[in-house]
Amino acid sequence: MGVASPSASTAPAWGRTPPTTLVEVLRWRAARHPGRRALVYLPDAGGPEPEHTYASLDRRAGAIAAVLRGRLRPGERALLLYPPGLDFVEAFFGCLYAGVVAVPAYPPRNKGHLPRLRALLADCGARLALTHSKTVDSIRLQVDAQPEWAGLELLPSDAIPSDAADGAAPAAPAPEDLAFLQYTSGSTGNPKGVMVTQSNLVYGAHYITQQSRHTEEGVSVCWLPSFHDMGLVDGVLMPLYAGSLAVLLSPVAFVQRPACWLQAITRFRGTHGGAPNFGYDLCVQKIPAEIRAELDLSSWFCAYNGAEPLRAGTLRAFAEAFAPCGLRPEALYPTYGLAEGTLMISGCELDRRPLTRWVERAALEQGRFAPAAASAAADAKSELVSSGRAILETRLAIVDAQGRRAAPGRIGEVWIGGPTVCAGYWQKPKETRETFQAEIEGEPGLWLRTGDLGHLDPAGELFVCGRAKDLIIVRGRNHYPQDLEATASAADPALRPAGAAAFALEAEGEERLVVVQEIERTALKTLDAAAAGAAIARAIGEEHGVTPHAVVLLKPGSLPKTPSGKIRRAAARRQFQAGELEAVGEWRGAA
């Protein structure tokens, strides 16, 4: 059974005074639709499925806010340390209702999480952490072992009675007030706290609603972590703004059994939901035919892919694998965004298959976007996917190294303007000026520098080519790491797809390429590391004209990634230099 795409008119009927904060949004919905189901969480092991109506979420947020007001002043920060579930959502809105700045994070389950949490706490200065009674004891053990965290109060929010608010009205923040700090994933360096305002959140939710034509009849199904910008803004806040149902799953459950995501879309008639590249790849690789036969994805009209750069092969493979399940190829929805822009910046048109362009690989290496001839050899061209266009008040520009708009046909840095741009980095005025207050030569106004390289075609379609900081330059030629990584992962059956990181190091006075690659778990006992490493080096040499200085084979699951699955190349480089990679073998090129 097919599904009709929603109409372009998706703005909620707010009346004469549209909301300017999420506090107003939730209060408005709780007053008008108190019994309507807003959120449901599907536990990993089955059993009871916690849910919230607008009224019950409003009540829980008010109760948590009442307790927070007795401990923190408006504007102070509160860390949110929750396992997956609805308690995080309650606490987030509790902070908004109290005028407290929420700082989403994840509970420290092992020592590997502590460096990031240590840096985050030192930066935001939180003296209270909200958590759950089931995890408070284990978190307290971790906290007590850190002398610099002495005095950090742990407050289990689920122990707060729902009548704690006792009729007290929530805070009434101004649109420009800080709502929360979204710490960047750290894919290119140490995490920084992005200052997201109340107006950023409302505009961002409205922007996604308009781009994806999400309505009150829609159903969002999301497994991305709520402490991450994509999981929070798109998975929780946008559905609440739109008045639709938000179905949440555990990220761990998805990674262990990716079928649970598509089964939830089938069960709830999901219309909206997405993932980075690796999520779609995992579904193709790990969902067997007998489970696919039970899926009905015909209701899914916006299957967004929020990774950058996008991979045409990932989109094609997913569309082909699940076409028998009713998935329409037009449902695949490439998009572009980042935490510093609240979340979404551009998106393709609904009901249109993803737009791709074949471009000359040699031209890309020279910073040019040149169409490739149809007869060009496969290793002489690259297929790039459009991330769509910006709408409403959001603006895009491609800027060269001199701060001027890039000439037609040239690749430059993607700059963003408009209400989606956040206020800056918390307590980092220098980085804020450099990143959020850039100026295009000869033009008024301030822009956000994304650090991403891209091309904007005459129709406004954005093609993201890579990150400027990750760009690998060997002997005067530009190499985009994602291209090298895709070649590496496909070089041998023992290698894990989307399990590579490519980066450059200086050796003997010049840039040298290093590739680290995870192996499949099934290959641990039979791996010929020398042969697999040589296969990677040979494939990269043949396809890209550059020979790696070193190839390191890694244990499954040990490649540094962000919570949303993006490869942390800077972290992989640091681990390689420090000899901290969990290696099972290595290949070295000739000296």
Side-chain angles (χ1 to χ4, degrees):
M1 184 178 70
V3 62
S5 294
S7 67
S9 178
T10 57
W14 300 117
R16 294 182 179 180
T17 55
T20 57
T21 71
L22 282 176
V23 173
E24 295 174 14
V25 169
L26 179 53
R27 296 286 286 175
W28 188 90
R29 294 212 171 276
R32 285 158 180 79
H33 308 290
R36 182 181 294 176
R37 187 166 57 165
L39 297 145
V40 60
Y41 177 71
L42 309 183
D44 299 4
E49 298 173 350
E51 61 179 52
H52 265 306
T53 64
Y54 293 116
S56 66
L57 179 59
D58 171 64
R59 183 173 171 81
R60 287 299 300 157
I64 294 168
V67 175
L68 284 175
R69 287 194 195 99
R71 289 167 164 80
L72 298 176
R73 297 184 299 273
E76 288 195 281
R77 279 74 58 207
L79 200 64
L80 305 188
L81 297 175
Y82 287 91
L86 299 187
D87 297 282
F88 172 92
V89 182
E90 296 174 4
F92 183 84
F93 276 93
C95 288
L96 294 181
Y97 274 35
V100 169
V101 178
V103 185
Y106 50 81
R109 299 186 186 91
N110 56 60
K111 292 182 179 180
H113 294 156
L114 292 178
R116 173 183 166 82
L117 189 58
R118 187 180 295 116
L120 190 152
L121 265 173
D123 189 69
C124 75
R127 55 188 181 87
L128 181 145
L130 286 156
T131 187
H132 192 276
S133 57
K134 291 182 178 179
T135 55
V136 68
D137 290 338
S138 62
I139 293 174
R140 183 171 284 115
L141 288 174
Q142 300 275 14
V143 168
D144 290 346
Q146 310 298 318
E148 66 269 36
W149 293 349
L152 178 69
E153 181 182 359
L154 297 179
L155 176 62
S157 61
D158 58 313
I160 297 173
S162 292
D163 59 359
D166 198 24
E176 65 273 13
D177 285 350
L178 189 58
F180 78 109
L181 294 178
Q182 177 65 67
Y183 275 83
T184 59
S185 56
S187 58
T188 60
N190 291 325
K192 298 183 286 288
V194 178
M195 296 189 290
V196 187
T197 67
Q198 295 281 346
S199 61
N200 286 149
L201 284 180
V202 172
Y203 179 81
H206 178 68
Y207 195 76
I208 298 171
T209 300
Q210 292 294 307
Q211 277 274 20
S212 63
R213 288 189 245 157
H214 203 71
T215 69
E216 290 187 353
E217 289 71 40
V219 177
S220 171
V221 182
C222 181
W223 57 265
L224 294 159
S226 295
F227 59 78
H228 186 266
D229 57 333
M230 195 183 297
L232 175 59
V233 178
D234 186 80
V236 175
L237 304 184
M238 183 279 293
L240 185 124
Y241 175 88
S244 61
L245 176 64
V247 180
L248 306 179
L249 298 88
S250 159
V252 174
F254 169 76
V255 172
Q256 292 177 344
R257 198 174 66 84
C260 68
W261 181 35
L262 305 192
Q263 287 170 332
I265 291 173
T266 298
R267 173 186 166 192
F268 288 91
R269 305 300 295 153
T271 60
H272 182 93
N277 284 322
F278 94 94
Y280 292 102
D281 291 335
L282 206 59
C283 288
V284 173
Q285 297 157 15
K286 303 296 185 182
I287 300 180
E290 59 269 23
I291 292 181
R292 294 185 193 185
E294 300 172 352
L295 299 175
D296 179 0
L297 306 181
S298 60
S299 63
W300 201 4
F301 68 79
C302 184
Y304 67 86
N305 185 327
E308 89 284 351
L310 300 154
R311 291 200 299 268
T314 291
L315 296 171
R316 260 195 304 274
F318 188 79
E320 292 171 2
F322 294 98
C325 307
L327 178 71
R328 299 173 302 113
E330 295 83 5
L332 297 178
Y333 188 84
T335 182
Y336 169 72
L338 71 168
E340 289 84 349
T342 307
L343 180 62
M344 189 178 190
I345 303 302
S346 68
C348 71
E349 295 178 17
L350 287 172
D351 298 324
R352 183 192 79 178
R353 296 192 181 201
L355 174 66
T356 67
R357 297 268 172 81
W358 286 100
V359 296
E360 294 178 1
R361 183 168 292 172
L364 287 176
E365 294 170 358
Q366 298 165 7
R368 295 186 296 111
F369 193 93
S375 59
D379 61 356
K381 58 185 179 181
S382 294
E383 188 179 15
L384 301 185
V385 182
S386 168
S387 296
R389 292 177 284 193
I391 64 168
L392 302 180
E393 301 166 72
T394 297
R395 308 185 307 278
L396 285 168
I398 305 298
V399 183
D400 64 20
Q402 288 71 46
R404 299 185 293 259
R405 285 186 182 263
R410 300 295 303 186
I411 293 169
E413 186 179 3
V414 181
W415 288 21
I416 301 166
T420 193
V421 176
C422 295
Y425 293 124
W426 175 255
Q427 294 188 328
K428 289 181 170 56
K430 179 175 180 291
E431 290 89 340
T432 294
R433 286 192 301 272
E434 292 172 349
T435 302
F436 289 85
Q437 298 171 12
E439 296 182 72
I440 297 177
E441 184 179 299
E443 299 183 19
L446 300 179
W447 295 77
L448 166 68
R449 298 186 60 174
T450 68
D452 290 320
L453 298 173
H455 169 74
L456 205 59
D457 79 0
E461 299 277 348
L462 175 65
F463 292 83
V464 178
C465 304
R467 286 199 63 83
K469 291 181 180 179
D470 288 339
L471 188 66
I472 297 168
I473 305 175
V474 178
R475 297 180 180 177
R477 293 179 61 192
N478 297 345
H479 297 277
Y480 296 97
Q482 67 275 4
D483 294 337
L484 303 173
E485 291 158 0
T487 300
S489 295
D492 189 281
L495 307 176
R496 177 165 286 187
F503 50 85
L505 289 176
E506 184 172 328
E508 300 175 4
E510 65 177 2
E511 289 284 284
R512 299 287 185 87
L513 170 65
V514 176
V515 178
V516 298
Q517 167 71 55
E518 287 182 354
I519 66 168
E520 292 282 18
R521 195 169 301 278
T522 53
L524 273 172
K525 294 182 179 180
T526 60
L527 177 71
D528 184 336
I536 290 173
R538 183 169 56 253
I540 289 176
E542 291 174 352
E543 191 162 342
H544 302 279
V546 58
T547 301
H549 171 69
V551 176
V552 182
L553 285 305
L554 306 180
K555 289 182 179 179
S558 65
L559 180 69
K561 291 185 177 182
T562 70
S564 63
K566 294 180 183 178
I567 296 165
R568 299 178 59 211
R569 299 183 182 97
R573 181 189 295 111
R574 289 193 296 270
Q575 291 182 10
F576 175 83
Q577 292 175 305
E580 297 174 350
L581 291 169
E582 296 185 51
V584 294
E586 185 173 311
W587 176 93
R588 289 274 179 170

